[in-house]
Amino acid sequence: QVRLEESGGGSVQPGDTLRLACVASGSVWSDYTVAWFRGWPGAKRVGVAAIDSDGSTSYTDFVKGRAIISKDNAKNTWYLQMNSLKPEDTAMYYCAAREAKFRLTSVLAGGVHFDDWGQGTLVTVSS
């Protein structure tokens, strides 16, 4: 089992940039899919961005052009940089990981089950 821990959230103003990090401890698979979701505890989480071990990426429409998902394999860390933040981006942001590569559009649509999740990091965007 992989343990995930998110960081980098905070309170920012509209138009600001944040870079969220997801660090994995334990054995990370050679083939994997990692995704960022957002939402609130107890509510359905919405896919934001996803990346696989080959470096393929996908973004949901509401962040396309404003987000960059990336990975640092040496550090077992995945990043989500969010630019031009809007008040509607306010949410808890969670990372999830699973062995094997999946169609990333299906991942973002909620069509792939993830067993390994982090606890989330809170992003608040307000003026």
Side-chain angles (χ1 to χ4, degrees), residues 53-70:
S53 45
D54 287 342
S56 297
T57 61
S58 185
Y59 300 90
T60 197
D61 285 347
F62 57 75
V63 298
K64 200 168 289 184
R66 299 191 296 124
I68 302 171
I69 188 170
S70 61

Side-chain angles (χ1 to χ4, degrees), residues 76-92:
N76 282 349
T77 301
W78 298 274
Y79 301 97
L80 177 67
Q81 180 170 314
M82 294 280 293
N83 304 317
S84 303
L85 282 160
K86 305 175 181 181
E88 51 264 42
D89 293 320
T90 295
M92 286 289 288

